[in-house]
Amino acid sequence: MSDSTPAANTYSMDELVSLCKRRGFIYPASEIYGGLNGFWDYGPLGTALKNNLRDRWWRDMVKRPPIGPDGEEVSIVGLDSSIIQNPKVWEASGHVGGFNDPMVDCRETKSRYRADHLMCLGLKGQTEGGQIYAFLENDDDSLAAARKKLEKYVKRDLADEEVDVCPLTALSPDELAITVAPDTKVVGSLTEPRQFNLMFKTFVGAVQDEDSAAYLRPETAQGIFLNFGNVVDTMRVKMPFGIAQVGKAFRNEVTPRNFIFRSREFEQMEIEWFCHESEAEQWFEFWCDVRAKWWQSIGLTSDNILMRKHESDELAHYAKEGCGTFDVEYRFPFTAPGFGELEGVAHRGNYDLSRHQEFAGKKLAYFDQPRNERYIPHVIEPSAGLSRGTLALLCEAYTPDPERASKVFMKFHPSIAPIQAAVFPLVAKDGMPEIAAKLFGELRDRWDVVMDVKQSIGKRYARMDEAGCPFCFTIDGDTASDQAVTVRHRDTQAQERVALDQVAAFMAQHVG
RNA sequence: GCGGGCGUAGCUCAAUUGGUAGAGCGUCAGCCUUCCAAGCUGAAUGUUGAGGGUUCGAGUCCCUUCGCCCGCUCCA
């Protein structure tokens, strides 16, 4: 998350969460049992919204992929790999090593540290009877403070040769017991390092022993790398090309927060774009541009979208030196005035395929006929959050309006709105419901449409405002004679008259 | 995992020093209604997050637990 100009959003997340529950977008998971931290269920409208976002992505990336720099459509094929994979996958990917951070807590200061980020200072060759002072790695002030405490303890200045520095993780439990934590003066306030396993562990088969242990995938990407060879062998693809996948991933987040922004079960929409190393930088720029524009095309305004280059110290373990990662970030109400990550476009180099080649002992090189060269492709990865994208759409759509009956309406882009049109007979008599039913039948095959004949027209309009339905078609007393209906526009509340036989054309024009 | 705050109807919230849990909105039904939650009538919905304790009596006090929010920590 990063800072920027003041927030445009003037509502609180509580209001949005409340509307999501009230209107069937998102419910707390297993709510009747008191919920479960970090999990959420999508209601009927939330499901429709999320599916629309997913389908739009699939259509724009796989079925009708973007035009590449050479003016031709790029080539992307789809995939749906399993959630549980051979446990060795996660050793090769670096998740077993890099995704398990040993943590220590300080009982005195209530601080938590990554154990591998703490270093220890002590007298060389002395452990018994002495004291050890922990300090933060790469922090000169912390180091100086630790040394000062050590010198005070031994009551003299120390030469550099006399002191010994080692990682906290190298300490024995006895040594840890005589260690003084940063910002404290007493010994033994640090807990033993504890593993924070961010991957969900499970067991394959009915017998639960370590041999059957497996993990739910923490990202969908690895399933693509595992099938790289299969796709090359079976799909007549040629470099450069992409493999796309949408699916669930699971992470045991330390702190699930901010509604569905950081949940433990979430969905990703990922493309792994394979190319020759010499073209990787060009494709990286290409995908950053394509993906930023795509988010804007579904209704996220440029004001709330930000492209941000990662600082070098926050690069992922797979990120290629010097090329880095770009984030597409969105200004959520809970991050404002800052931004939160929506999608990361990463240059993964050939890290993953090389690792799998090494760990699996299977050749994953590609023979490039035009180049007459065999190589392990480099990978550009536009990795988008489907759950986060859905949340961004909800946040972007939420529009308070004290003037209208609902006090708020959801301004979804018509193409991804969970309900794209509503058909209403103005009153439930005089043949109006019959005309409405006929129109409803014509529209529903192609769009998400509802029909409602109950209650006053104002109430139905207001209900559609909260659901974010962009257009309501109302059959009135004149329809039978003039063959026209009223279109009511959600955003402006304006009304216009449209010929009955032009409603589908109207929808095609305004919704797509 | 730590600290702080919170948890009452679908939603937003009331409920005196501990004394029978209510309102508005929403939902549903009926009447009505020819363009914005109209009006009238009626209805449903709560072990007050869960469990235990103190008390004649607990939404209210105490303990435990679960969940949510904020801050730390973390986010390959």
Side-chain angles (χ1 to χ4, degrees):
Chain A
M1 299 181 198
S2 53
D3 295 330
S4 187
T5 49
N9 298 313
T10 54
Y11 60 91
S12 74
M13 274 307 282
D14 287 349
E15 297 171 63
L16 176 61
V17 172
S18 170
L19 180 138
C20 283
K21 170 97 186 268
R22 188 170 72 242
R23 285 295 163 199
F25 285 99
I26 295 168
Y27 312 123
S30 27
E31 189 183 13
I32 62 171
Y33 287 99
L36 186 60
N37 195 6
F39 296 89
W40 300 88
D41 291 344
Y42 288 80
L45 292 194
T47 304
L49 178 65
K50 180 159 67 70
N51 287 350
N52 287 347
L53 179 60
R54 178 198 66 195
D55 294 346
R56 174 71 183 255
W57 182 86
W58 193 263
R59 188 196 79 187
D60 292 345
M61 296 298 124
V62 182
K63 295 168 81 174
R64 277 160 40 182
I67 305 299
D70 61 359
E72 300 285 317
E73 271 190 0
V74 301
S75 165
I76 301 188
V77 296
L79 186 77
D80 190 355
S81 68
S82 61
I83 286 172
I84 295 176
Q85 294 157 2
N86 188 304
K88 284 184 182 165
V89 169
W90 308 113
E91 291 173 30
S93 70
H95 287 87
V96 170
F99 219 53
N100 290 303
D101 299 326
M103 308 290 297
V104 294
D105 289 324
C106 174
R107 299 184 186 92
E108 284 294 313
T109 63
K110 306 299 183 193
S111 304
R112 168 175 291 172
Y113 307 96
R114 269 178 67 165
D116 56 342
H117 284 181
L118 284 182
M119 302 295 286
C120 292
L121 189 74
L123 272 183
K124 194 164 278 185
Q126 179 201 350
T127 49
E128 283 184 29
Q131 286 189 7
I132 298 171
Y133 296 86
F135 63 97
L136 301 173
E137 189 180 22
N138 300 324
D139 185 330
D140 292 340
D141 293 342
S142 183
L143 170 61
R147 180 148 178 169
K148 202 169 173 181
K149 282 191 280 188
L150 176 61
E151 289 176 344
K152 192 175 175 187
Y153 180 71
V154 299
K155 298 192 177 73
R156 64 186 172 87
D157 290 343
L158 293 168
D160 286 349
E161 310 82 76
E162 292 182 88
V163 296
D164 201 10
V165 170
C166 74
L168 181 95
T169 49
L171 296 186
S172 69
D174 288 345
E175 288 168 330
L176 192 63
I178 56 164
T179 297
V180 180
D183 307 318
T184 64
K185 291 174 180 171
V186 296
V187 298
S189 67
L190 289 175
T191 61
E192 296 250 341
R194 282 177 294 193
Q195 287 299 111
F196 276 62
N197 193 336
L198 299 185
M199 281 195 291
F200 276 86
K201 197 174 196 174
T202 187
F203 299 92
V204 176
V207 179
Q208 298 197 356
D209 54 34
E210 278 311 301
D211 290 340
S212 65
Y215 299 96
L216 309 190
R217 65 183 177 198
E219 64 173 22
T220 58
Q222 295 306 323
I224 296 180
F225 296 125
L226 301 183
N227 286 291
F228 171 75
N230 283 337
V231 171
V232 167
D233 289 346
T234 57
M235 293 309 296
R236 304 173 62 223
V237 287
K238 285 188 299 186
M239 212 64 68
F241 73 97
I243 302 179
Q245 171 163 234
V246 180
K248 292 218 167 181
F250 304 81
R251 298 180 191 178
N252 253 323
E253 297 289 354
V254 177
T255 313
R257 273 291 155 84
N258 292 328
F259 201 26
I260 59 171
F261 182 77
R262 174 165 297 127
S263 51
R264 288 180 165 138
E265 175 176 342
F266 59 99
E267 277 185 279
Q268 295 182 300
M269 306 183 290
E270 294 197 299
I271 298 168
E272 305 300 330
W273 179 257
F274 301 96
C275 62
H276 189 271
E277 180 175 12
S278 65
E279 295 179 344
E281 189 60 33
Q282 172 198 347
W283 285 113
F284 180 71
E285 302 296 333
F286 170 79
W287 282 111
C288 289
D289 185 53
V290 164
R291 296 303 307 148
K293 284 182 176 145
W294 185 82
W295 285 110
Q296 287 166 13
S297 78
I298 56 168
L300 301 188
T301 64
S302 51
D303 261 9
N304 286 332
I305 284 278
L306 174 75
M307 290 295 288
R308 190 173 73 91
K309 195 177 194 311
H310 271 213
E311 302 302 325
S312 58
D313 62 354
E314 52 182 342
L315 284 182
H317 63 266
Y318 49 72
K320 185 174 159 56
E321 189 81 22
C323 283
T325 300
F326 267 80
D327 275 352
V328 180
E329 302 192 348
Y330 178 76
R331 179 158 48 205
F332 293 97
F334 48 82
T335 61
F339 291 74
E341 183 180 342
L342 203 54
E343 170 161 357
V345 182
H347 188 322
R348 295 181 79 127
N350 61 6
Y351 176 87
D352 300 276
L353 288 178
S354 300
R355 293 276 289 186
H356 286 305
Q357 176 165 291
E358 177 190 342
F359 277 68
K362 293 282 194 308
K363 282 257 192 300
L364 293 177
Y366 171 87
F367 182 70
D368 191 326
Q369 237 172 348
R371 290 178 191 272
N372 194 28
E373 182 185 348
R374 186 179 299 278
Y375 57 87
I376 297 181
H378 279 234
V379 173
I380 306 301
E381 177 194 75
S383 170
L386 175 53
S387 316
R388 286 184 177 184
T390 305
L391 179 59
L393 292 178
L394 286 165
C395 292
E396 184 78 11
Y398 191 93
T399 311
D401 181 0
E403 298 301 311
R404 66 175 75 193
S406 58
K407 305 290 188 255
V408 61
F409 67 104
M410 297 300 282
K411 202 172 178 176
F412 295 118
H413 191 281
S415 68
I416 49 87
I419 302 172
Q420 295 171 312
V423 178
F424 299 148
L426 185 56
V427 290
K429 62 180 183 185
D430 299 342
M432 297 181 210
E434 289 74 14
I435 301 174
K438 187 163 176 286
L439 179 60
F440 172 63
E442 288 167 12
L443 299 178
R444 65 188 308 189
D445 284 342
R446 183 161 165 196
W447 294 282
D448 294 313
V449 188
V450 298
M451 185 172 77
D452 192 354
V453 300
K454 295 275 186 179
Q455 297 169 320
S456 72
I457 192 70
K459 196 168 225 178
R460 284 176 279 167
Y461 285 156
R463 204 180 271 138
M464 286 300 108
D465 276 349
E466 278 198 324
C469 170
F471 304 109
C472 297
F473 299 99
T474 300
I475 287 81
D476 61 24
D478 297 332
T479 301
S481 53
D482 71 358
Q483 293 296 304
V485 296
T486 301
V487 188
R488 184 264 191 184
H489 293 255
R490 173 197 65 201
D491 298 348
T492 60
Q493 298 176 278
Q495 299 186 353
E496 62 177 309
R497 203 75 176 159
V498 169
L500 197 51
D501 60 8
Q502 291 300 306
V503 170
F506 178 96
M507 286 295 289
Q509 183 191 342
H510 290 87
V511 178

